[in-house]
Amino acid sequence: MTDQAASASKLEARVSQLRCIGCGAVRESEATNVRCAQCGDLLEVVYPGWETSAGMRAAGLDASGLKELWRQRRTSYDALDESGVWRFREVLPALSDWNHVITLREGNTPVYELPGCGRAAGVQQLYAKHQGMNPTGSFKDTGMTAAASFAREGGFRWVACASTGNTSASMAAYAARAGMRSLVLIPQGQITWGKLSQALDYGAVTCQLKTDFDGCMRVLDEVAQRMPVYLLNSVNPYRLEGQKTAAVELLERFEWRAPDHVIVPGGNLGNSSALGKAFLEMKDLGLISALPKLSVIQAEGANALVRTMCETGGKKLISVHAETMATAIRIGSPASWKKAVRVLEATGGTVEQVSEVEIALAKAEIGADGIGCEPASAVTLAGLKKLVKRGFVKKNESVVLILTGNLLKDPDFTLKFHRGDLFAGTAQEEEAESVLTPRQHAPMVLDASANTVVKVLQHAERAEP
Ligand code: F0G
């Protein structure tokens, strides 16, 4: 085969298609409609060339070759290689022109050991992959670089999303980088100021709707049918392809031996679906030999997936009226529930729900390990404690928590926590006081005198366990 013919066949083998998860209808990738034209269900990206070993060879998808290529790219200053998403472009849908990629050098996020949290949960090997260390402070950037690049390639002038805050911050940033306009629909009074201020700074047209997240989604669906805007919510299949790379990075960090458990917060369920898809694909491609169990944790007040699994065995979505202080996951009718059920079943994972007090305690424990995260991410640790008690996670197994958002995304929650105000006037006030007080470090207002500060220091020294 000539060089030209070989690279043409490589490209062909790498071509992706969009397949409906409901009726299975397939069409070639294109960045227009994010739902199936026939039945309205969600689409997913599939790679037909991967289905045969000849196809995989033609696409250059040899496991050890890929590992080496991805490792080498870490020393490159090429924008695509510097991105922790596009560094793995062999397992992503290809753009017709790589110059369309919009990157903020997302991904490449750290994996930290969590010794204090490990003790609290009762496991010996506990790690956090901190997706809150992405450019806009959340995991959304890894998906946004992919989907926004496809929007640019599709020639869209407007991109749009409904959001609990992080998606809007991320989308607005990527749109601004490419000179696209962005429309953000957020539930009024239900997203944090930090996230809202990001969308404003990046120039989004920001509408605070008098409804919840699920209501914003409904309005957006209608807007997208009437106006030429490209939807960048996680129903967008390209978003999930980008978000897959966090799992690939994680496996690379563990030298291609999967941890026993990966634990993810669940909201609209795009992230768990994406990570699960990646683990399954990495196994199919021979990059790992065993899958991690992927489990999803939700807040008790926004527990649609937990109820769906427990009450219908994952067959029928049970929507709920969502209520939680972890505003990022205040979602009652998760769009990607079918995809999430599939990866839970395929990896042997489970679901769990956690209370508001459990979330607040876990967040403080993650902070005390010198890491920190936003409340929605802390459900992972709170959930892990319950999975250990249930015996689902054994104490000698390795566990990775996916921390999805940065501590600075929601300073209000943290301040109220340390001032002891978080549960004031609620039914959980008493419980919160007994469980959370030892973790609180309220700021002190003092006279500007060294004597006073020295006294505080001496008192703190004596009080330390
Ligand atoms: N953690 C954080 C910090 C989030 O912002 C979200 C979702 C999730 C977890 C849940 O991820 O939806 O993929 O299951 N935030 C979306 C948003 C909905 O609009 O920012 P999921």
Side-chain angles (χ1 to χ4, degrees):
M1 208 188 288
T2 63
D3 279 359
Q4 220 178 354
S7 51
S9 103
K10 243 181 200 185
L11 257 181
E12 221 163 84
R14 209 182 288 155
V15 164
S16 56
Q17 293 176 331
L18 293 174
R19 184 172 65 194
C20 173
I21 63 163
C23 70
V26 168
R27 62 189 164 108
E28 297 309 313
S29 291
E30 57 184 273
T32 46
N33 201 340
V34 298
R35 285 184 181 274
C36 174
Q38 275 154 45
C39 75
D41 214 331
L42 297 186
L43 302 173
E44 66 179 345
V45 175
V46 290
Y47 303 86
W50 298 8
E51 278 159 19
T52 62
S53 49
M56 277 177 22
R57 267 199 309 281
L61 292 168
D62 143 66
S64 60
L66 281 179
K67 289 176 189 174
E68 180 56 23
L69 176 67
W70 293 340
R71 205 176 57 81
Q72 273 173 13
R73 284 186 183 148
R74 296 176 73 172
T75 58
S76 156
Y77 291 114
D78 183 287
L80 285 190
D81 296 343
E82 278 190 328
S83 161
V85 172
W86 298 104
R87 185 158 73 85
F88 303 106
R89 52 193 173 274
E90 284 70 22
V91 292
L92 298 177
L95 289 146
S96 63
D97 179 352
W98 290 109
N99 290 318
H100 289 139
V101 166
I102 313 162
T103 174
L104 287 165
R105 312 301 191 270
E106 52 291 315
N108 298 313
T109 54
V111 171
Y112 300 117
E113 283 180 51
L114 294 178
C117 296
R119 280 191 296 279
V123 291
Q124 289 155 0
Q125 301 172 71
L126 181 61
Y127 304 86
K129 175 141 178 83
H130 206 327
Q131 293 297 94
M133 300 297 182
N134 268 293
T136 75
S138 85
F139 72 100
K140 306 287 181 180
D141 295 341
T142 55
M144 207 51 78
T145 182
S149 299
F150 277 94
R152 181 197 234 177
E153 182 153 285
F156 281 91
R157 180 168 152 67
W158 281 90
V159 290
C161 72
S163 181
T164 56
N166 280 326
T167 299
S168 48
S170 181
M171 180 188 77
Y174 282 83
R177 294 295 294 170
M180 292 187 291
R181 305 289 312 278
S182 61
L183 172 71
V184 161
L185 304 187
I186 46 174
Q188 192 201 6
Q190 294 175 27
I191 82 164
T192 72
W193 294 121
K195 298 173 189 179
L196 176 58
S197 61
Q198 284 181 291
L200 303 182
D201 228 33
Y202 302 134
V205 173
T206 305
C207 306
Q208 296 180 277
L209 302 188
K210 295 175 185 158
T211 177
D212 55 12
F213 171 82
D214 302 290
C216 290
M217 278 294 282
R218 281 192 292 276
V219 172
L220 182 65
D221 272 341
E222 204 182 316
V223 172
Q225 277 166 26
R226 290 167 51 179
M227 301 294 289
V229 297
Y230 187 54
L231 228 70
L232 285 183
N233 272 91
S234 58
V235 294
N236 183 307
Y238 298 109
R239 277 269 311 275
L240 301 201
E241 291 307 288
Q243 281 172 216
K244 271 184 352 191
T245 57
V248 183
E249 245 181 30
L250 179 67
L251 294 172
E252 184 185 51
R253 159 67 178 71
F254 282 89
E255 297 182 39
W256 305 104
R257 278 186 296 273
D260 296 307
H261 295 273
V262 173
I263 300 188
V264 200
N268 219 12
L269 300 176
N271 201 31
S272 32
S273 305
L275 299 175
K277 185 173 192 280
F279 290 131
L280 294 166
E281 287 178 358
M282 293 305 106
K283 179 136 187 301
D284 284 348
L285 292 175
L287 281 107
I288 50 172
S289 54
L291 290 168
K293 292 191 173 77
L294 185 94
S295 296
V296 180
I297 315 294
Q298 295 192 300
E300 268 174 15
N303 60 354
L305 180 69
V306 176
R307 290 195 52 189
T308 297
M309 292 306 290
C310 299
E311 294 170 34
T312 78
K315 302 261 174 323
K316 191 174 172 301
L317 176 67
I318 299 191
S319 296
V320 300
H321 174 74
E323 198 54 71
T324 169
M325 281 194 253
T327 52
I329 50 172
R330 189 171 174 172
I331 294 172
S333 197
S336 293
W337 69 276
K338 280 187 198 163
K339 291 185 181 180
V341 168
R342 212 169 53 182
V343 300
L344 279 173
E345 286 170 352
T347 67
T350 186
V351 288
E352 188 51 90
Q353 58 183 348
V354 292
S355 74
E356 298 292 296
V357 174
E358 287 166 339
I359 296 171
L361 175 62
K363 184 175 124 43
E365 287 167 335
I366 294 168
D369 260 341
I371 306 296
C373 63
E374 67 165 288
S377 308
V379 301
T380 53
L381 176 62
L384 170 63
K385 292 178 191 172
K386 292 187 149 172
L387 297 185
V388 173
K389 286 206 182 99
R390 258 168 61 181
F392 184 79
V393 174
K394 312 276 180 305
K395 77 169 195 264
N396 59 350
E397 289 182 318
S398 54
V399 183
V400 178
L401 308 179
I402 305 293
L403 301 184
T404 44
N406 197 284
L407 170 68
L408 295 176
K409 285 283 192 174
D410 192 354
D412 246 19
F413 183 103
T414 309
L415 282 173
K416 280 189 185 147
F417 175 90
H418 287 289
R419 289 182 172 141
D421 299 339
L422 201 54
F423 293 95
T426 70
Q428 299 100 314
E429 192 167 0
E430 237 173 78
E431 179 199 355
E433 208 177 303
S434 67
V435 177
L436 304 180
T437 307
R439 290 279 174 190
Q440 285 162 0
H441 309 284
M444 290 165 253
V445 180
L446 303 171
D447 287 336
S449 120
N451 269 350
T452 325
V453 176
V454 166
K455 271 192 201 133
V456 167
L457 200 59
Q458 287 167 337
H459 180 261
E461 175 70 21
R462 280 194 302 276
E464 204 55 33

